[in-house]
Amino acid sequence: MALNDTHRVELASWVESAQTPGSSFPIQNLPFGVFKRTGRNEAPRVGVALGDQIVDITACLDEGLLAGAARTAGECCRRPQLNDLMAMGPEPVSALRRSLSELLRAESAAYHRDPGIAHRVLVPMYEAELRLPAVIGDYSDFYASIDHARNVGSMFRPNDPLLPNYKYVPIGYHGRASSIVLSGTQVRRPTGQLRDDPEQQPIVAPTRRLDYEIELGVFVGAGNPLGSPIPIMDADRHIFGCCLLNDWSARDIQSWEYQPLGPFLAKSFATTISPWVVTLEALEPFRVEAYVRPDGDPQPLPYLLWDSDQRRGGLDIRLEVYLRTATMRQRSQDPVLVSRGRFTSMYWTVAQLIAHHTSNGCNLRPGDLLGSGTVSGPEAESRGSLIERTWRGRDPLRLANGESRTFLADGDEIIMRGYCERPGFARIGFGECRGMIVPAA
């Protein structure tokens, strides 16, 4: 991908809310999602977010507002999921995004000929029900933050927090796709085997150490055949875009079950994602160099090392986590910020995750989802989970209203937000990823 006309900071839209200061969805973004109008007997379909509106791509097609490659790509948007559009690869998606950008600009010839198209192609967000953006066939979760790995490792192995493979292998595991849910879905506290006292038998009970993990979700675009690895220099061509991801974790279940095969029931009860997928093209202005490894760290092995990826494989995404307790809701109090980090702190790039995932010939398919792993930085306030913020419950997090938390209580709501900003470019965002804890069954 390269910078193009859709990234110009001076672009404005005839959709006035797109110019609202701090909006996640200016015209420079145009993230894709799936929606239907509330109360209508109609099939879900694909749209893009713009300000407080959804641009109905099916309506744009029916109005004859898309042509050529953009129309071909747009026909995939009549479907109730993004998988077919994802499968087309980056060029058709870019053509569609550029055509939508031209249509929605303040100087749009189509709009000035017929301003009535606004009523025919726009759906207010408050009138829409959002759906999962894709049929997610497979989900893999990584462990790409060295600060997170070092923090958690030091709680269990203080003398040797990082395992010998960490700086060579992008560590990951196969997650559960069936329990991925959309932002706003309530999350039921899971029950499982707990064993706090090594001298006692395990018990079955609701988790007492429920946690969040803020991550970046990466949606696969065009897939690869089984047995054909994706070279790191081609990895970007297989990435459709990114969303926010909350990898809910039951830490007490996890600590008992994870040896020797890793996470299982501690993670599979729910994973929450945000509804809008920000394309890799929209993120192009926020490319930065990859994490700079300190002296003494090994260089990535050849299949994970490409000069271009080292120069610009990082993504400067700011990530924030807010907590709103049941008491705060009752008192109409705003949620409080509990974590703020940046994706630039990740030890492995997204391209390296793709290259490693497929290095054994594993096939990725359109709509597959990769989690980056918890995004944590070196400072306390940049730690992306409660187990780190409270150091496994030793140092409770004190809230401004007098409450405190070591782990999440029933009624707690976690709200994740993400955005990118850089001088000379428009600020773009990911929207929100929300989930509220309800009691165990």
Side-chain angles (χ1 to χ4, degrees):
M1 289 294 174
L3 294 176
N4 57 49
D5 189 55
T6 67
H7 299 117
R8 289 192 293 119
V9 68
E10 67 271 17
L11 285 183
S13 173
W14 48 263
V15 179
E16 293 184 4
S17 60
Q19 282 76 250
T20 303
S23 171
S24 288
F25 308 127
I27 194 171
Q28 291 84 355
N29 193 350
L30 302 180
F32 289 88
V34 173
F35 76 100
K36 70 178 290 294
R37 287 176 291 183
T38 304
R40 300 286 187 95
N41 185 22
E42 61 185 20
R45 56 197 181 276
V46 175
V48 298
L50 181 63
D52 61 4
Q53 304 289 312
I54 299 172
V55 183
D56 185 342
I57 299 176
T58 294
C60 292
L61 291 167
D62 293 342
E63 292 285 330
L65 299 172
L66 300 173
R71 182 173 186 85
T72 301
E75 289 294 337
C76 295
C77 297
R78 296 185 187 273
R79 298 172 176 81
Q81 32 72 17
L82 277 164
N83 298 65
D84 290 347
L85 181 65
M86 291 170 165
M88 297 190 78
E91 287 84 6
V93 176
S94 179
L96 175 58
R97 184 174 170 277
R98 290 189 191 204
S99 289
L100 290 170
S101 174
E102 293 168 0
L103 170 65
L104 298 165
R105 293 176 193 180
E107 65 271 23
S108 163
Y111 175 73
H112 286 287
R113 283 195 304 269
D114 180 11
I117 64 173
H119 302 291
R120 301 194 294 274
V121 305
L122 297 181
V123 176
M125 286 194 183
Y126 69 85
E127 293 182 4
E129 300 171 7
L130 300 178
R131 302 294 177 90
L132 282 173
V135 176
I136 302 168
D138 277 300
Y139 164 51
S140 299
D141 197 20
F142 283 89
Y143 198 49
S145 165
I146 194 169
D147 292 294
H148 176 66
R150 188 181 286 120
N151 286 339
V152 174
S154 65
M155 297 173 195
F156 298 92
R157 301 177 303 276
N159 296 324
D160 193 16
L162 288 181
L163 294 173
N165 61 355
Y166 187 83
K167 295 179 181 180
Y168 292 94
V169 178
I171 303 296
Y173 71 94
H174 190 253
R176 184 74 187 175
S178 66
S179 53
I180 296 173
V181 298
L182 194 67
S183 174
T185 305
Q186 292 183 336
V187 174
R188 188 165 297 282
R189 180 177 295 273
T191 294
Q193 283 197 28
L194 318 177
R195 191 190 189 199
D196 293 335
D197 185 348
E199 302 300 321
Q200 300 294 325
Q201 292 290 318
I203 63 171
V204 176
T207 178
R208 301 162 185 160
R209 298 179 182 175
L210 186 55
D211 201 355
Y212 64 82
E213 293 187 9
I214 185 165
E215 303 190 16
L216 189 71
V218 179
F219 274 103
V220 173
N224 62 300
L226 182 65
S228 299
I230 296 173
I232 189 168
M233 62 281 296
D234 292 338
D236 282 359
R237 296 186 57 78
H238 296 267
I239 300 168
F240 179 81
C242 302
C243 65
L244 303 178
L245 186 151
N246 187 347
D247 178 28
W248 302 97
S249 301
R251 299 299 185 186
D252 41 7
I253 298 174
Q254 184 178 0
S255 65
W256 172 235
E257 75 175 5
Y258 83 101
Q259 295 182 0
L261 294 181
F264 185 35
L265 301 185
K267 301 276 193 176
S268 62
F269 61 95
T271 302
T272 303
I273 63 171
S274 55
W276 297 105
V277 185
V278 178
T279 63
L280 206 57
E281 184 175 52
L283 292 169
E284 189 64 29
F286 310 102
R287 293 274 199 172
V288 294
E289 67 176 341
Y291 180 91
V292 178
R293 297 186 172 206
D295 292 341
D297 276 17
Q299 283 296 296
L301 296 178
Y303 77 100
L304 296 172
L305 185 60
W306 182 39
D307 286 347
S308 181
D309 187 54
Q310 292 297 299
R311 289 195 309 270
R312 53 190 304 280
L315 295 170
D316 191 4
I317 302 170
R318 323 289 179 95
L319 298 167
E320 298 174 344
V321 182
Y322 294 82
L323 169 64
R324 195 178 195 192
T325 69
T327 298
M328 294 165 69
R329 277 196 306 279
Q330 291 166 3
R331 297 175 180 173
S332 299
Q333 295 173 333
D334 291 333
V336 294
L337 179 70
V338 294
S339 174
R340 175 185 283 129
R342 295 176 80 161
F343 199 68
T344 51
S345 66
M346 304 303 274
Y347 197 76
W348 299 100
T349 68
V350 174
Q352 287 172 325
L353 302 185
I354 294 282
H356 181 67
H357 201 315
T358 64
S359 62
N360 67 341
C362 175
N363 57 322
L364 300 178
R365 295 175 293 185
D368 283 358
L369 181 66
L370 310 183
S372 65
T374 305
V375 181
S376 290
E379 304 85 11
E381 62 272 14
S382 65
R383 296 171 182 166
S385 62
L386 275 180
I387 195 172
E388 296 172 88
R389 290 291 276 127
T390 69
W391 210 254
R392 208 181 175 189
R394 183 193 69 188
D395 305 318
L397 191 65
R398 308 292 178 184
L399 306 181
N401 68 349
E403 293 182 275
S404 66
R405 288 290 183 275
T406 52
F407 293 96
L408 296 173
D410 291 345
D412 285 352
E413 183 180 28
I414 291 295
I415 305 153
M416 297 178 172
R417 297 171 184 159
Y419 62 94
C420 303
E421 58 184 12
R422 177 184 173 188
F425 294 94
R427 179 189 189 275
I428 68 171
F430 289 77
E432 291 187 337
C433 179
R434 290 177 173 257
M436 188 173 71
I437 306 301
V438 296

